[in-house]
Amino acid sequence: MEIPLWPSPHDPSRLGRPSRRAATAALETHIAVLKGDPLKAALANALRDAEGLGGQERRFVAMASRELSRHMRLLDLAARLLGHSHAKIVMTEDQALVRYTLWRRLFCGEGWTRIGPEVRLPGPVRPRTLHDAVLEGLVTKPLPEVPSSESESVADRLATRYSFPGWLTQRLADVYPEATLAGLMASLDEEPALHFRVRPAGTRDAVLAALAEEGVVAEAVPSSPDALRVADASHRIFETKVMKSRRLQVQDVGSQLIVQACVPPGGSLVGLTVADICAGAGGKTLGLADAVGAKGRVLAGDRSKRRLADARERVREFSLKQVTFPHPVPLEAVDVVLVDAPCSGTGSLAREPDQKWKLTAKAIKEFQTTQSALLAEVAAKVKPGARIVYATCSVLPEENDRVVEGFLAKHPDFALEPVGEGWPPELQVGVDGPYLRALPPRVPGGGFFAARLVRKPG
């Protein structure tokens, strides 16, 4: 399949408002990332230190910062074609300036008239060695044709276009057909849409109508029963009465489907006791709490005290009395255990694009070891008839199918119970055989996996 190498420019309404101060903050963020800081932390620091930025400028900073990490490989190719390879760019500040200038050209469709005031000397970052004429040339010179090679593989072509590491792209190419892979990589290479879960369940139409009355454009997402997507990029939804009344929770579609996968076939979670042992910041904990109802219980835990503190705060915010945080979590007493295992996060690269450059094959192997050990630890404690839902936000089989298959080979007292049994047709788009495999763009949002395991009676 033929995929154009150079992108179509973004819709300007999604970018926020560019300015010299915003460009400075975005560049400082990218420089910090190149020096080893996590993108989220670098962005938070840059926004904290920036003075006088308006809301639209702050949005531009966030978007530009993610985009510079997201498209590094393609931006660097453009720089090489224009005569500015990494070998000729020694300083990190210069490297960031080149990428920013080319991003504004290629992904925003801007010319030097708009880009120049954002990057010209003095500043926006110092020290630097690049003269303004060099940056202007990056914008005004035509991009040469990229020489085609018959030996270029599908993985090579997609890795360049969507700015993925070659080894990771090859791993994905070994699993997914070309069309599926191209769609997946394109989705993970985009700024993610804002998805919400409607509360209580089954009231999505009423919430959509209420949002429309408040002037917020939103639409139902068919692949999850209570999911909706906001088409308005202004984020006004957070100021609505609907949001302030806790009728909505920010949650990715695949994450909502993982909670759905915890529901026993033909039944419900109402009144049951559910454990969320890798609760993190509590996104799925909230969904499970709504699913078990006031008469059920959710026992939440996590090895990270910091992340669990966030979960406690969200539970208080939503006034969910059925959620407690025992330590250790008494798994012997629960009906369902959600093991949202630590993973590579390859399904979340749209939100954390810097991670794809930090991930290694060795790290994936280490995740697999941790996941298998965690699953075995939980299995040793649950009662007969209890269910374990193993989940990740990875799109790699090493962390998904193979962990489950390896577990079943060693634990004959467990059986794989197909996810999606009894689900309506619109939800089946996220089901692949016995597994939940929510892959974008078929299921919008990030990529997620879940398998349901039941301990045999006796």
Side-chain angles (χ1 to χ4, degrees), residues 318-341:
F318 281 81
S319 302
L320 296 168
K321 306 297 184 185
Q322 63 270 49
V323 181
T324 58
F325 297 86
H327 181 75
V329 177
L331 296 180
E332 301 84 357
V334 306
D335 302 297
V336 181
V337 184
L338 173 58
V339 182
D340 190 10

Side-chain angles (χ1 to χ4, degrees), residues 265-277:
S268 76
L269 291 176
V270 174
L272 299 184
T273 299
V274 179
D276 184 3
I277 65 163

Side-chain angles (χ1 to χ4, degrees), residues 25 28 42-53 58:
E28 288 176 348
L43 176 58
N45 291 337
L47 289 174
R48 182 198 62 214
D49 295 341
E51 296 182 359
L53 289 181
R58 293 171 71 87

Side-chain angles (χ1 to χ4, degrees), residues 109-127:
E110 299 291 0
W112 184 245
T113 302
R114 293 292 301 274
I115 302 171
E118 298 169 20
V119 298
R120 278 199 295 251
L121 287 166
V125 291
R126 303 294 289 271

Side-chain angles (χ1 to χ4, degrees), residues 276-296:
D276 184 3
I277 65 163
C278 301
K284 299 180 186 70
T285 305
L286 301 184
L288 290 169
D290 285 340
V292 301
K295 295 183 178 180

Side-chain angles (χ1 to χ4, degrees), residues 79-118:
R80 287 197 304 273
L81 292 173
L82 292 167
H84 297 281
S85 66
H86 279 320
K88 296 181 179 181
I89 303 174
V90 178
M91 296 186 66
T92 303
E93 288 79 4
D94 290 342
Q95 191 177 80
L97 273 167
V98 167
R99 285 178 180 156
Y100 178 86
T101 301
L102 286 168
W103 173 71
R104 291 288 280 142
R105 173 187 179 177
L106 295 174
F107 287 86
C108 305
E110 299 291 0
W112 184 245
T113 302
R114 293 292 301 274
I115 302 171
E118 298 169 20

